[in-house]
Amino acid sequence: MVLGKTTGDHEVLKACFDQSRRLAIAVGPGANRNAFAGGALVSIRERNLHHKVAAWGGCSSGIATCGYIAGSGSREDTKVFSHDTNDHRLLSVWRWFLGKPMFDVDYADRVFQGIETGRGINATRVIESGIPFYAILSDPNTGQHLVFRAETPDEVHQLASVGAAVTGISRKVYFRGREVSDGFFTLANFPLEAIVEQCRQEGRGVPTDILVFAGKHLDPQPKRKRWSVELAHLLGLARYSEPVRRLMKDRYIHFYEAHERALVRTDIRVLVVWNPTKLPAFKIPKEESEKLIETGYQTMEHLFRSLGR
């Protein structure tokens, strides 16, 4: 088993055991590859350390991943939940040929509420914990990143579903009356900075330590993904403004630039755990998804053991 790599300061994990530190956990984009982050967070939950988290933050599929683990989430339950969100009814190119959006945001909402399968995000527990739950979305017209804190259980479910809805392959979605989209192409797709900024604006204690789960494998020399712009046009994303299209083209560049900025911060300790897989983001076979969960779990267990925990 190939464990996830890390960059940054391993001392971050000690914040789980030190009441004088404030640990935030952030999960970035990754679609179905975020099964890795789910497994890693199960390790934290099984050690009963999720109560020590000062803030949760997610972007794109990372919103649902954070919500599920913050609300419940045993290892076996996480495997089942991962299968539920890897369903062809959620995302299918055949829907496009039928004149329907490829991503069914309404089905996603039913999955996250537990209506469709009986297993969903325990949003009531997320809110009752009192731990801030942040979601990073984007404005599909300007490319501006938007950070929302869920105030009710319904908002947890809503943020999980609209947070994974990319304008052009899903119907238009709104949150608190504002048109929003998946945050994966904004400057906040490495979600650390947006969470710190939001904590500061709310007058909350800014985290002293942040553990980030990155859904993309470590690539120190990212290449411009020009093909993604052409694909975006084919899928109907040409409705985006020119600034947004530029963001989409360069989103991987921005991702790694944000990572580099995080590692040189002096006010916050940062540890990034990288997903080791190069599997496609969608329609991961069941056995591979379960391997990802186990890999994430064992990666965190290895990190805790390295601290003597």
Side-chain angles (χ1 to χ4, degrees):
M1 178 182 296
V2 179
L3 300 181
K5 296 182 179 180
T6 60
T7 50
D9 191 346
H10 283 221
E11 292 293 305
V12 166
L13 294 178
K14 292 185 178 180
C16 294
F17 311 95
D18 185 347
Q19 294 294 339
S20 67
R21 311 290 295 180
R22 292 176 52 80
L23 174 70
I25 291 181
V27 182
N32 297 130
R33 289 189 297 241
N34 263 338
F36 171 84
L41 292 176
V42 166
S43 169
I44 291 173
R45 187 174 185 88
E46 285 187 355
R47 291 169 176 267
N48 206 34
L49 298 174
H50 56 293
H51 296 302
K52 308 288 182 65
V53 177
W56 297 94
C59 178
S60 191
S61 63
I63 301 171
T65 303
C66 276
Y68 189 70
I69 301 299
S72 54
S74 68
R75 195 172 353 174
E76 290 306 311
D77 288 342
T78 301
K79 290 179 181 179
V80 177
F81 183 71
S82 180
H83 303 331
D84 292 343
T85 54
N86 201 15
D87 194 286
H88 71 278
R89 289 171 290 181
L90 191 64
L91 179 71
S92 173
V93 69
W94 297 111
R95 291 174 54 83
W96 182 263
F97 292 111
L98 295 174
K100 300 178 180 179
M102 285 172 51
F103 180 81
D104 189 343
V105 68
D106 301 303
Y107 180 79
D109 191 50
R110 294 195 300 273
V111 169
F112 296 143
Q113 290 189 56
I115 296 172
E116 196 68 35
T117 62
R119 299 170 295 269
I121 298 171
N122 190 335
T124 299
R125 188 175 293 177
V126 173
I127 296 299
E128 288 180 348
S129 72
I131 300 172
F133 183 84
Y134 298 114
I136 303 168
L137 310 179
S138 62
D139 184 318
N141 301 302
T142 66
Q144 175 191 2
H145 76 264
L146 309 169
V147 185
F148 296 99
R149 179 182 175 183
E151 301 291 349
T152 66
D154 284 345
E155 285 194 344
V156 173
H157 291 137
Q158 190 180 359
L159 286 167
S161 55
V162 303
V166 179
T167 302
I169 64 170
S170 72
R171 66 169 175 80
K172 286 187 178 183
V173 293
Y174 299 84
F175 186 75
R176 296 179 184 167
R178 180 169 185 170
E179 185 181 0
V180 296
S181 182
D182 188 316
F184 83 103
F185 62 81
T186 71
L187 297 181
N189 69 356
F190 187 84
L192 180 148
E193 293 172 318
I195 293 171
V196 172
E197 171 190 316
Q198 191 67 18
C199 288
R200 186 171 286 119
Q201 287 181 3
E202 292 184 6
R204 304 185 62 85
V206 174
T208 59
D209 303 79
I210 296 189
L211 177 61
V212 181
F213 292 95
K216 183 173 174 58
H217 64 275
L218 180 59
D219 180 3
Q221 294 183 323
K223 297 180 176 60
R224 292 177 181 269
K225 308 291 184 177
R226 296 186 184 280
W227 57 265
S228 66
V229 179
E230 300 305 318
L231 179 61
H233 281 284
L234 290 174
L235 296 178
L237 300 185
R239 70 173 293 275
Y240 283 129
S241 64
E242 178 58 28
V244 174
R245 289 201 296 273
R246 285 199 300 270
L247 281 175
M248 290 184 67
K249 181 181 70 175
D250 294 336
R251 66 185 183 275
Y252 295 106
I253 303 296
H254 297 314
F255 178 93
Y256 289 105
E257 286 177 348
H259 166 254
E260 294 304 308
R261 286 196 301 272
L263 295 190
V264 297
R265 293 185 75 124
T266 58
D267 57 332
I268 297 171
R269 297 188 305 195
V270 179
L271 177 64
V272 185
V273 182
W274 296 86
N275 190 331
T277 186
K278 295 187 179 182
L279 288 169
F282 300 102
K283 303 299 173 61
I284 296 176
K286 179 179 178 179
E287 61 275 12
E288 294 295 335
S289 178
E290 292 186 354
K291 286 180 183 177
L292 268 181
I293 292 171
E294 190 63 26
T295 299
Y297 183 88
Q298 294 300 335
T299 295
M300 286 308 298
E301 289 294 296
H302 173 75
L303 291 172
F304 281 127
R305 286 195 296 269
S306 71
L307 294 175
R309 299 286 180 171

